[in-house]
Amino acid sequence: MFLIVGYVIILASALGTYAVHGSLAALWVPLEYIAIVGLTVGGFVASNDIKIIKSTVGALPGIFKGSKFTRILYVDLLAMLFEVLVKVRKEGLMSIENDVENPQESPIFTKYPVLSSDHHVMEFITDYLRMMVGGNLNAIEIESLMDIEIETHHHEVETPGHVVSKVADAVPAFGIIVAVMGVVNVMGSVGEPPAVLGKMIGGALVGTFLGILIAYGFVSPVANLLEQKAQEGSKIYQVIKVVLLASMSGYAPQVAVEFGRKALVAGVRPTFRELEEELKARKGK
């Protein structure tokens, strides 16, 4: 939503102020639009393999959606982990073996459909719970493994943002290419009247204008949003990590989820009292 609003403001500022003293028709040079778009798409395709192209295209619709990582989601996450850890504390690690092996049938995980439908999150949780059940790794080894996995995941989800950022850096150069092509065309028509030459030169300069406007007004904001989405999506794994490690270190479930709460940023972090009351309310159900 805000992306569209931003685009409207950018166009109104660029074209609206120009329209006060110039003709918008002078900016309509279709072939230059086609050339810049073609060069941009061609550069994107040429510089990336098919896997990155698919992941980048697949990530684009997400920038038009609101964030799913809300305070409610994180309260659900902490409550779900709390239930798992309480069960472990009361009945032992082996009591969650069926939950870990069949999360889609787990009476705990199925209470949280939004989380259980996220394949990556559930796989991260169940994989490390499985290691805890196995008892072959200590907290330090699991923490090291978690860090590697989170870093790998973060690098993967950041790729679309980096790719689009590189495209944004290249678009002004493509605008210059189109402008130079227009100037070459003008130089071949030096015998034309000044009015005709002026129109041709103006059309050539539209290429530079379009390149800069598209790069910094349209493509760069998309790159920034993709990077923000990637950073936002990595936080949930850090929360899971600190909760499970706190539990492995011997802390009670209530204290372990407090570790996770403290790992959240202010905008989505429930207060200590809010979380405590939520856990008590769910425990009574």
Side-chain angles (χ1 to χ4, degrees):
M1 177 62 182
F2 285 103
L3 180 65
I4 303 301
V5 172
Y7 282 170
V8 171
I9 295 172
I10 289 168
L11 286 174
S13 300
L15 302 183
T17 54
Y18 171 79
V20 173
H21 55 77
S23 171
L24 290 177
L27 300 178
W28 180 243
V29 189
L31 291 179
E32 297 207 359
Y33 285 80
I34 294 171
I36 290 177
V37 172
L39 286 166
T40 301
V41 173
F44 167 67
V45 172
S47 58
N48 298 288
D49 60 32
I50 187 64
K51 180 181 178 181
I52 292 178
I53 291 173
K54 286 182 177 180
S55 67
T56 302
V57 173
L60 291 176
I63 64 177
F64 297 100
K65 301 176 182 177
S67 174
K68 70 176 184 178
F69 298 102
T70 61
R71 177 179 298 205
I72 294 174
L73 179 76
Y74 280 116
V75 168
D76 281 347
L77 174 67
L78 294 173
M80 183 177 75
L81 293 174
F82 178 75
E83 287 194 47
V84 171
L85 297 181
V86 166
K87 185 175 182 180
V88 169
R89 198 169 185 86
K90 288 181 177 179
E91 305 174 27
L93 276 168
M94 295 305 296
S95 65
I96 62 169
E97 186 174 12
N98 289 333
D99 298 287
V100 170
E101 297 301 333
N102 299 291
Q104 66 278 5
E105 299 175 5
S106 166
I108 295 177
F109 294 140
T110 52
K111 289 169 62 177
Y112 304 92
V114 175
L115 288 166
S116 60
S117 64
D118 191 318
H119 170 72
H120 296 292
V121 169
M122 289 306 303
E123 189 175 73
F124 187 84
I125 293 172
T126 55
D127 280 353
Y128 288 103
L129 287 175
R130 188 178 292 111
M131 291 181 188
M132 291 169 63
V133 171
N136 297 322
L137 295 175
N138 59 40
I140 295 176
E141 291 171 326
I142 288 184
E143 180 178 14
S144 177
L145 189 57
M146 284 179 168
D147 287 339
I148 293 172
E149 184 171 354
I150 291 173
E151 182 180 355
T152 301
H153 173 269
H154 190 62
H155 175 76
E156 184 178 3
V157 296
E158 272 193 328
T159 298
H162 290 324
V163 168
V164 176
S165 181
K166 292 292 185 183
V167 171
D169 291 340
V171 175
F174 293 146
I176 293 173
I177 290 174
V178 173
V180 170
M181 292 166 59
V183 171
V184 170
N185 186 42
V186 171
M187 296 306 291
S189 306
V190 291
E192 297 291 337
V196 175
L197 288 175
K199 185 176 180 180
M200 294 177 68
I201 293 171
L205 292 175
V206 168
T208 303
F209 161 74
L210 285 177
I212 296 172
L213 178 63
I214 292 173
Y216 299 112
F218 290 87
V219 183
S220 187
V222 171
N224 290 335
L225 283 173
L226 288 172
E227 291 175 358
Q228 291 170 20
K229 292 285 185 182
Q231 293 172 0
E232 186 181 51
S234 294
K235 175 56 69 175
I236 192 169
Y237 298 98
Q238 295 171 352
V239 173
I240 297 168
K241 168 192 164 183
V242 297
V243 171
L244 295 183
L245 288 176
S247 177
M248 289 190 71
S249 298
Y251 290 99
Q254 182 70 53
V255 179
V257 296
E258 176 62 15
F259 276 51
R261 187 188 73 84
K262 297 297 286 185
L264 291 170
V265 296
V268 295
R269 181 197 298 166
T271 66
F272 175 84
R273 187 64 60 191
E274 287 173 343
L275 180 59
E276 183 180 42
E277 292 176 355
E278 189 67 30
L279 293 179
K280 286 180 179 179
R282 299 187 186 208
K283 187 177 180 180
K285 292 181 179 180

